Amino acid sequence: MSASPAAKNLTPIVLPIAVLLIAMLSLQGGASLAKSLFPAVGATGITALRLGFGTLILCVIFKPWRLRFSREQRLPLLMYGLALGTMNFTFYLAIRTVPLGVAVGLEFTGPLALALFGSRRPLDFVWVLLAVIGLWFLLPFGTGMTAIDPLGAALAVGAGACWAIYILAGQRAGAEHGPATVAIGSLIASVIFVPLGLTFAESGIWTWAVMPVALLVALLSSAIPYSLEMIALTRLPARIFGTLMSLEPAMAAFSGMLFLGETLTGLQWLALLAIIIASAGSTLTMRPKKSQINSVELADDSQK
């Protein structure tokens, strides 16, 4: 018995959506696994291992030594790599003391602010207001100062700022080579942050038992979600892709709850929901330049 026309039309869109959701689960599962290693290797240690192994994987996939960059692209490429490394470094430092879902929600405000920058339509200010409300209840202001570590929150917001720089620099650096640019950016980040992370790592990093787990972190955080997102990108309209990516903070919160035993208050869940709605709403209603959405898509590929 043949499938109905409605089912045939639905299948091409359901498959890439499922693939993208799996990619996000892999990404946040990798972040949870990385956080579970903090007592043994430290946040800086797992940053070094994740970047090092992730770079090796990306280099095998994309063979960056074959790429050629013009003189005009070299400075943006350097900024891109530095932003990538700093983003990962500060994010892992943030989740030492901040729940994973809250950290991702705070970090997500970086690309959200970039997407809303220069908005003039009344509807855009609705998304700005929602994002500000979400931030207000996530950041340690007023009576909530004891709920979230101020330094951890500041580091998560700093990671978001680096994410925005990463998008802007990646827009220029990756103009010719697209996703393969991530391998060069990761290589630049590794040159700086792998030695730095190893310097301040806990002594447990030097045990061989840690290496397979660190490799799994790199696979879950880089190779697997990156490959799956590339499948989704070629089969989903940019706006649907961007809207689904807005679920990232919720995925992170569920991952932290499932794997790390982290629980959020009702107010924190509402704050995350406000940021998710603001991000999804801005994606659905914005009138972006074509390159802007592509840059945001590229930006998520090397996260966490």
Side-chain angles (χ1 to χ4, degrees):
M1 187 175 178
S2 60
S4 66
K8 288 182 179 179
N9 291 333
L10 190 61
T11 301
I13 196 80
V14 169
L15 181 60
I17 288 175
V19 164
L20 186 57
L21 292 175
I22 292 170
M24 286 190 281
L25 285 171
S26 175
L27 197 65
Q28 299 309 326
S32 295
L33 183 58
K35 185 168 182 176
S36 72
L37 289 176
F38 283 3
V41 303
T44 61
I46 194 59
T47 302
L49 293 176
R50 180 254 185 268
L51 268 177
F53 283 130
T55 299
L56 288 175
I57 293 168
L58 289 170
C59 286
V60 168
I61 294 172
F62 289 108
K63 302 176 176 60
W65 52 87
R66 297 180 179 179
L67 305 181
R68 296 292 179 270
F69 293 89
S70 66
R71 182 176 298 179
E72 292 76 17
Q73 289 175 315
R74 289 171 191 168
L75 181 59
L77 183 64
L78 178 62
M79 295 297 296
Y80 172 79
L82 290 173
L84 167 63
T86 308
M87 176 175 61
N88 280 275
F89 199 77
T90 52
F91 178 79
Y92 279 146
L93 289 176
I95 61 174
R96 290 180 306 173
T97 55
V98 173
L100 184 60
V102 173
V104 172
L106 293 174
E107 185 192 32
F108 220 74
T109 57
L112 175 58
L114 184 62
L116 292 171
F117 182 75
S119 297
R120 294 294 181 268
R121 294 176 302 162
L123 185 58
D124 293 329
F125 290 98
V126 173
W127 311 133
V128 172
L129 180 62
L130 269 176
V132 169
I133 291 172
L135 269 177
W136 178 263
F137 288 109
L138 281 184
L139 287 171
F141 294 133
T143 57
M145 280 295 286
T146 57
I148 296 295
D149 174 54
L151 178 59
L155 287 167
V157 172
C162 290
W163 193 352
I165 295 170
Y166 176 93
I167 293 170
L168 292 172
Q171 205 169 17
R172 294 184 61 189
E176 285 186 30
H177 305 294
T181 310
V182 176
I184 291 287
S186 189
L187 188 59
I188 293 170
S190 293
V191 168
I192 296 169
F193 288 98
V194 168
L196 183 63
L198 292 176
T199 300
F200 295 99
E202 299 292 334
S203 58
I205 198 172
W206 305 113
T207 59
W208 284 108
V210 168
M211 297 305 160
V213 185
L215 180 59
L216 182 58
V217 169
L219 285 168
L220 289 172
S221 301
S222 296
I224 293 174
Y226 184 82
S227 302
L228 293 178
E229 282 178 10
M230 285 300 103
I231 294 172
L233 273 172
T234 58
R235 291 167 173 80
L236 284 176
R239 287 197 174 193
I240 293 179
F241 183 93
T243 302
L244 287 171
M245 290 307 302
S246 303
L247 295 174
E248 197 87 58
M251 289 283 194
F254 281 120
S255 180
M257 188 167 55
L258 185 62
F259 298 114
L260 300 171
E262 296 177 344
T263 57
L264 304 183
T265 66
L267 201 56
Q268 287 171 335
W269 276 110
L270 287 175
L272 279 181
L273 181 62
I275 291 174
I276 290 168
I277 293 173
S279 182
S282 67
T283 302
L284 288 171
T285 60
M286 72 177 4
R287 299 169 189 166
K289 297 176 182 177
K290 187 180 291 186
S291 59
Q292 187 178 10
I293 283 293
N294 291 337
S295 302
V296 173
E297 292 164 353
L298 176 65
D300 193 71
D301 294 333
S302 289
Q303 287 292 301
K304 281 65 83 188

